[in-house]
Amino acid sequence: MSKIGKINIAIPKDVSVVFNNGVIEIKGPKGNNKLNLDQKIFDLKINDNKDISIAPKALNKDTKRLWGMNRSLINNAVIGAKIGFEKTLELVGVGYRAALKGSILNLQLGYSHDINYEIPKDIKITVEKQTIIKINGHNKQLVGVVATKIKSFRAPEPYKGKGIRMKGEYILRKEGKKK
């Protein structure tokens, strides 16, 4: 039995959930999410629009693995529709700064050129103090992908700690060369 899969998902008042032909549509104040669920493997029940329960039709090794994951995906979609997700990036380094120009994020990261990153349509990016970037969205996976992509433009290096890092991320520092 899956410990995570057994737990029912509570549906907030602002969120509506509809299940048709293997597609779960979740609508809320922050956005709309769609998920595909394999009806050959799982049964999904929406109880009076208050909570969702998911259960496998047959319990075997493969369905045990997928049960908790599918429950987590549905839960993340419900949370994203109600509250949304946020990641914060910090730019550490002399002359490192970010600016928004319409739907393009302009980054100056110590290269000979600026980096222009086009923001996906479901993501909202705000720049605070030129060195702090906040990424918001209703899709947890897309928020994480965008944060990782921006971070990959200048990953933190271990000697001075310069680069783009997640807020609260610990960078393992190395000692420099000795004489």
Side-chain angles (χ1 to χ4, degrees), residues 100-123:
L100 276 175
K101 294 180 180 176
S103 66
I104 293 176
L105 178 68
N106 180 277
L107 299 166
Q108 296 175 353
L109 301 173
Y111 294 119
S112 61
H113 59 283
D114 291 357
I115 296 171
N116 293 320
Y117 179 72
E118 192 168 329
I119 302 168
K121 65 174 183 152
D122 291 339
I123 296 294

Side-chain angles (χ1 to χ4, degrees), residues 15-109:
V15 178
S16 67
V17 179
V18 178
F19 181 62
N20 287 328
N21 299 329
V23 178
I24 306 166
E25 291 185 46
I26 301 166
K27 296 179 183 175
K30 291 287 183 176
N32 302 332
N33 290 321
K34 285 186 179 182
L35 291 169
N36 293 325
L37 185 72
D38 191 358
Q39 289 183 303
K40 295 175 186 170
I41 301 173
F42 295 106
D43 281 330
L44 186 89
K45 292 178 185 159
I46 301 170
N47 304 326
D48 298 330
N49 219 15
K50 292 183 180 176
D51 66 344
I52 303 169
S53 63
I54 183 172
K57 290 184 177 178
L59 205 59
N60 59 34
K61 213 180 220 184
D62 294 330
T63 56
K64 282 183 190 177
R65 292 182 192 142
L66 296 172
W67 188 8
M69 182 194 68
N70 280 305
R71 188 257 179 214
S72 293
L73 290 174
I74 296 167
N75 188 40
N76 287 338
V78 170
I79 292 170
K82 171 71 176 164
I83 301 167
F85 294 99
E86 179 179 274
K87 292 224 181 218
T88 306
L89 299 175
E90 298 173 337
L91 279 68
V92 178
V94 177
Y96 289 13
R97 61 181 63 99
L100 276 175
K101 294 180 180 176
S103 66
I104 293 176
L105 178 68
N106 180 277
L107 299 166
Q108 296 175 353
L109 301 173

